[in-house]
Amino acid sequence: MAVISVRNLTKTYHVGEVAVHALRGVSLEIEKGEFVAVVGPSGSGKSTLMHILGCLDSPTSGEYFLDGADVSHLSDDELSEVRNHKIGFVFQGFNLLPRTSALENVELPLLYNAGSLSATERRRRAMEALAAVGLRDRAEHHPNQLSGGQQQRVAIARALMNRPSILLADEPTGNLDSRTSIEVLDIFQSLREERGITIVLITHEPSVAEYGSRIVAFKDGRIVSDTPNLRQRVARGELAEMPIAREDA
Amino acid sequence: MRAIRPSLMIALRALRRNKLQTALTMIGITIGVATVLTMIALGSGAESAIEDQVRAAGMNTIIVTAGNYKTKTEDSGSAVEEQGRIAPRVEFVPAVWRNPQGAGPLMPLFRPVFHPEDDPMEKHDHPTASQRLGDTEAGLGAAATLTSADADAIRKISGVQYVSEGIHNNAHVAWGAKRWFTRLHGDDVSLPLIRRAWVFEHGRFFSKREQSHAAQVVVLGSIVSQRLFGAENPVGKQVSIYKQPFEVVGVVASGSWLVAAAPGDDQFDAIYVPFTTIQRLLNLSKLNDITITTSSSGEVSRISQQITDLLRARHRIGVKDPDDFTVTSQARQALAKGGMLPQVARSVVGNIAGLEKVTLEQLGKTLDRASRTMTALLASVAAVSLLVGGIGIMNIMLLSVTERTREIGIRRAVGAKANDVLRQFLMEAVALSVTGGLAGIAIGLAVSNIIGQWVQWSVSISALAVALSFGIAAMVGIFFGYYPARQASRIAPIDALRYE
Ligand SMILES: Nc1ncnc2c1ncn2[C@@H]1O[C@H](COP(=O)(O)OP(=O)(O)O)[C@@H](O)[C@H]1O
Ligand SMILES: [Mg+2]
């Protein structure tokens, strides 16, 4: 069964008199463990799709099944729970809480988890997640004390806190240099391999899309091609050939 | 109630970040809460002060005197005046002086009850004993019809609060070469409870133990102490009364601004010893009077009647025979004879028609007026400050919601429900107002105490008053924080996240 199944999704924004058709009938099935790269020019509706897939926004029309359950008609509270349990977000601008330590940022999803955990248990899990992205020794740092790459890894750690079914990443490398971009992509690839996490990566750069296992091309709110990536790039291998970056020294 | 603690932590952290803003916002609440607390402190202080003053004036006191020197009438006020005109008598009373150690031979002697004050040639700078109001009549020669057993019987009447047995006489107190002629009261340990406005300048009243041992201890009225010892602390000194050594254990003075101590008054130009000591020294078994206080002033009449019936039965007085005792309530006496500062007595008397009907409530009302005006004033100051403070909180919270829209979006994206956001902002508003409130409580406590010291207004701050002030602060936070918090919770997740 598909983790994500959408049919004929449309999204229309009304700006004054003008109707902007951001999505014009998108149908897509994503299986568990896929690493789907959605690629397309800016303004083609990729982010709009991601917001709908992430239950942050609702479509104008169309159906959306997440883990087999219809989520098109859920209440605001129910959508919050879905986001908390099943979805992890990684954004271009990191979206970490300012003036808040990395550890506390990572803990955030646990605060809103129905089965409330003790403070020590939350801390322990957050620490574990930080360690998994190699930031154990940066736990007390605030976002402004971290590099872009480190911030994005904190965001990834946060996205994984509640063991989501899917990880949605909107231009996660948009604010990063080439090496740290590949490091982030390496994390995605290993998450998929080691934990079988389903990943939807959104990017306007075809070169970044090449790290996905399947490439969905977008244009003007429609899918123009959807093919398995037979020449998937492997971030780990590329990193090994690169010189050691200063930031991790 | 999940996430209360995390929301509180989030709230406190947010407040710490903007210390100056936080402090400025809190000022209104702080002033408001401080005013509320001061208001309550002064208000309830005034209440208890009035109650004390009224008690000090003896509004709930009944005095049973041995003998009946007037025809039975309720008009005790005029009797008091008549009493003042009664000529002093000179009598010889046989008395047996015991050796204070209890050993050695008994020494019979005759003691003249001739008061030096009664010498017509003598000049006095204070009213003589015969001019004093109260119980001149009840000298040792007066009909001695009351007993301790009577007092015990009165103790059993419901509504009776304290009962003090009394023997009264005039006596010389001597210390070294100094002598002072004054009233000697043999009283019960419970007397200070009856005279509520007493304060002990030095030492204490005599104890139950000293009373039951008939110990030779004496409490001096402040006037007596001043005459004999000046400003010195007399506690522990030996004075002589009836040529017997008495140890001074305390000095009593007026603690009420309604009752001024003056030479010749019956309370502070007086000395107090256990009534048992007088009974032992003078070999007496009777009492001059019994003083009773009632728990409620409204019951004075009923209890007076009950005492009369009780004593008539105990003394086996026939239906047609007159009482051999006199029951008076002190309300009218107190107002008529002074003891209050003249201006206060005048205002009380002037404000109350029909002096006979003086009640605790009426007297209270007169004195209450000032405190009510003050309470009303403070209440409006408090209301305005709390309103201003509340609006300040609302303002800063609305700003905060706008500033932190992105944060709201992030929280919603990781699973916060609309209610979680609402609770967080509400908690922040409450944390603000409560922190302001705590500062206000501290200031309120300080201000009430300063006012208490400065204008001698009695203040009383109860835990309840503090809790109430705290509660008001929290309520202001909830009330004015609700709207901004609801705004925050209503922003759609995607809009919050995309907010620039
Ligand atoms: N909130 C909005 N209001 C109006 N138009 C919007 C809004 N969000 C996106 N759009 C429009 O929808 C289209 C798709 O935008 P988006 O999904 O952000 O594209 P992409 O992420 O592919 O660059 C664009 O034309 C954009 O202007
Ligand atoms: Mg986009």
Side-chain angles (χ1 to χ4, degrees):
Chain A
M1 185 190 59
V3 176
I4 287 174
S5 167
V6 293
R7 257 167 248 147
N8 291 320
L9 276 192
T10 69
K11 180 76 184 180
T12 308
Y13 295 105
H14 296 276
V15 185
E17 299 286 291
V18 188
V20 180
H21 300 281
L23 295 180
R24 302 166 189 256
V26 173
S27 299
L28 186 66
E29 302 255 324
I30 297 173
E31 299 298 325
K32 183 169 163 35
E34 279 192 290
F35 183 168
V36 180
V38 178
V39 65
S42 183
S44 57
K46 309 181 296 292
S47 293
T48 302
L49 175 69
M50 193 201 88
H51 293 147
I52 292 170
L53 293 184
C55 295
L56 284 168
D57 205 355
S58 46
T60 307
S61 70
E63 288 176 327
Y64 176 17
F65 291 85
L66 176 61
D67 276 341
D70 186 356
V71 295
S72 340
H73 306 291
L74 293 184
S75 71
D76 188 60
D77 278 0
E78 289 166 327
L79 288 176
S80 295
E81 269 172 42
V82 170
R83 288 196 295 271
N84 188 251
H85 298 322
K86 300 198 166 172
I87 297 163
F89 290 102
V90 177
F91 301 94
Q92 175 172 2
F94 319 131
N95 272 343
L96 297 177
L97 291 184
R99 288 161 291 184
T100 304
S101 74
L103 189 71
E104 286 168 314
N105 263 293
V106 174
E107 266 183 288
L108 208 54
L110 293 179
L111 290 186
Y112 302 110
N113 201 326
S116 58
L117 297 165
S118 72
T120 30
E121 177 62 12
R122 282 203 304 269
R123 243 187 109 77
R124 197 190 61 73
R125 288 207 198 171
M127 207 62 202
E128 207 174 72
L130 271 181
V133 294
L135 288 174
R136 176 180 281 283
D137 54 347
R138 297 285 196 274
E140 296 306 325
H141 288 224
H142 288 189
N144 61 352
Q145 298 164 326
L146 295 172
S147 72
Q150 288 169 333
Q151 286 186 62
Q152 198 58 297
R153 287 187 302 187
V154 172
I156 293 168
R158 181 180 68 189
L160 296 173
M161 267 326 267
N162 281 333
R163 304 188 178 98
S165 319
I166 50 169
L167 188 66
L168 297 175
D170 190 355
E171 309 271 9
T173 60
N175 288 6
L176 303 177
D177 62 35
S178 54
R179 188 196 154 90
T180 37
S181 294
I182 298 173
E183 280 170 2
V184 165
L185 292 165
D186 174 42
I187 293 174
F188 287 158
Q189 287 185 335
S190 49
L191 281 173
R192 177 190 171 224
E193 276 152 31
E194 290 160 22
R195 305 200 206 170
I197 289 177
T198 314
I199 296 165
V200 179
L201 171 85
I202 284 168
T203 180
H204 68 281
E205 292 176 85
S207 61
V208 172
E210 283 165 23
Y211 291 87
S213 63
R214 170 179 162 194
I215 297 175
V216 175
F218 240 71
K219 196 159 192 249
D220 293 334
R222 283 196 188 88
I223 295 173
V224 290
S225 81
D226 182 351
T227 53
N229 185 9
L230 300 174
R231 284 171 292 155
Q232 186 180 10
R233 288 171 66 175
V234 180
R236 180 73 43 91
E238 292 175 15
L239 281 174
E241 283 162 26
M242 283 182 152
I244 305 287
R246 269 164 294 136
E247 115 180 355
D248 280 342
Chain B
M1 282 274 98
R2 85 194 162 95
I4 275 281
R5 244 173 64 99
S7 329
L8 188 67
M9 309 255 283
I10 293 164
L12 290 177
R13 199 176 311 130
L15 295 182
R16 261 206 312 269
R17 274 186 224 131
N18 302 314
K19 287 193 193 77
L20 181 65
Q21 244 178 341
T22 304
L24 289 175
T25 310
M26 287 181 332
I27 285 176
I29 300 293
T30 301
I31 294 174
V33 167
T35 316
V36 167
L37 194 63
T38 309
M39 181 179 79
I40 297 174
L42 293 187
S44 58
E47 226 164 78
S48 69
I50 287 165
E51 210 165 285
D52 280 352
Q53 301 301 334
V54 164
R55 295 249 163 97
M59 292 300 137
N60 64 335
T61 308
I62 300 168
I63 299 170
V64 181
T65 322
N68 186 359
Y69 48 84
K70 61 180 176 64
T71 50
K72 196 171 179 302
T73 157
E74 292 302 303
D75 194 6
S76 55
S78 54
V80 165
E81 281 144 37
E82 280 159 29
Q83 194 186 324
R85 290 195 294 273
I86 290 170
R89 285 161 302 180
V90 179
E91 287 176 69
F92 289 89
V93 175
V96 176
W97 290 104
R98 282 189 197 134
N99 184 310
Q101 275 75 43
L106 293 177
M107 185 172 48
L109 50 84
F110 288 93
R111 193 176 61 83
V113 186
F114 175 82
H115 303 165
E117 280 186 347
D118 298 337
D119 181 348
M121 307 311 285
E122 186 93 23
K123 288 268 195 298
H124 300 287
D125 63 347
H126 61 86
T128 60
S130 61
Q131 288 165 339
R132 291 172 188 169
L133 303 170
D135 43 33
T136 318
E137 184 62 15
L140 287 178
T145 53
L146 293 175
T147 61
S148 288
D150 289 336
D152 287 338
I154 291 171
R155 280 193 179 96
K156 295 198 182 87
I157 296 175
S158 76
V160 165
Q161 189 182 26
Y162 300 114
V163 174
S164 174
E165 303 159 47
I167 299 173
H168 310 282
N169 203 354
N170 295 322
H172 272 108
V173 199
W175 187 65
K178 288 189 185 157
R179 283 158 69 81
W180 183 249
F181 188 73
T182 189
R183 286 295 276 161
L184 166 68
H185 297 296
D187 267 307
D188 187 87
V189 281
S190 61
L191 191 68
L193 300 170
I194 291 174
R195 309 253 192 261
R196 284 178 53 122
W198 273 10
V199 291
F200 284 87
E201 274 181 358
H202 300 292
R204 55 175 176 84
F205 205 63
F206 53 78
S207 66
K208 205 163 186 126
R209 205 182 133 82
E210 284 161 344
Q211 173 168 304
S212 60
H213 287 74
Q216 289 181 211
V217 289
V218 62
V219 175
L220 305 181
S222 55
I223 302 287
V224 176
S225 170
Q226 188 202 322
R227 294 292 161 153
L228 294 180
F229 294 95
E232 229 182 298
N233 177 1
V235 171
K237 302 256 163 60
Q238 297 273 326
V239 294
S240 98
I241 304 163
Y242 297 149
K243 301 200 174 79
Q244 294 284 310
F246 275 74
E247 185 191 341
V248 178
V249 294
V251 175
V252 67
S254 172
S256 158
W257 46 268
L258 270 177
V259 180
D265 75 24
D266 202 49
Q267 284 199 61
F268 306 111
D269 185 359
I271 59 176
Y272 299 87
V273 301
F275 74 97
T276 49
T277 309
I278 300 201
Q279 285 183 330
R280 174 170 68 78
L281 287 179
L282 304 186
N283 197 17
L284 294 168
S285 61
K286 303 288 186 178
L287 303 170
N288 290 133
D289 61 28
I290 300 169
T291 305
I292 297 117
T293 56
T294 61
S295 309
S296 135
S297 66
E299 295 210 293
V300 167
S301 311
R302 172 183 70 78
I303 291 172
S304 295
Q305 190 54 50
Q306 241 175 297
I307 290 171
T308 307
D309 296 345
L310 177 81
L311 291 183
R312 282 182 72 87
R314 287 184 57 87
H315 295 179
R316 296 178 206 287
I317 296 168
V319 190
K320 286 185 181 148
D321 298 324
D323 299 346
D324 62 354
F325 55 88
T326 309
V327 179
T328 49
S329 67
Q330 220 186 344
R332 187 171 171 186
Q333 277 185 13
L335 289 174
K337 81 177 179 186
M340 285 184 173
L341 293 176
Q343 60 269 35
V344 175
R346 220 177 297 132
S347 102
V348 171
V349 170
N351 276 297
I352 297 167
L355 211 50
E356 276 75 23
K357 298 198 187 73
V358 169
T359 61
L360 195 63
E361 290 89 282
Q362 280 173 311
L363 184 59
K365 257 181 220 155
T366 309
L367 298 172
D368 209 18
R369 220 167 282 154
S371 86
R372 243 178 242 194
T373 312
M374 186 132 108
T375 305
L377 187 75
L378 289 176
S380 37
V381 171
V384 170
S385 326
L386 288 175
L387 183 71
V388 169
I391 291 170
I393 286 183
M394 187 145 142
N395 180 43
I396 201 173
M397 289 314 295
L398 282 172
L399 267 174
S400 174
V401 170
T402 313
E403 265 172 22
R404 289 157 60 198
T405 304
R406 194 61 174 269
E407 175 186 330
I408 296 168
I410 295 169
R411 289 179 186 277
R412 296 294 321 257
V414 300
K417 294 178 181 169
N419 263 332
D420 293 320
V421 173
L422 181 120
R423 188 161 39 211
Q424 178 193 331
F425 280 88
L426 203 53
M427 202 73 91
E428 258 181 62
V430 172
L432 253 177
S433 67
V434 157
T435 313
L438 287 176
I441 286 171
I443 292 173
L445 288 174
V447 168
S448 321
N449 278 322
I450 290 168
I451 291 179
Q453 306 258 308
W454 186 38
V455 295
Q456 301 270 298
W457 188 281
S458 74
V459 294
S460 79
I461 295 169
S462 58
L464 189 72
V466 172
L468 186 73
S469 312
F470 188 83
I472 287 176
M475 291 292 289
V476 168
I478 290 172
F479 186 81
F480 288 95
Y482 184 76
Y483 176 74
R486 205 188 52 161
Q487 295 291 95
S489 73
R490 284 188 166 187
I491 306 172
I494 185 64
D495 294 337
L497 207 53
R498 269 197 302 226
Y499 186 86
E500 298 287 300

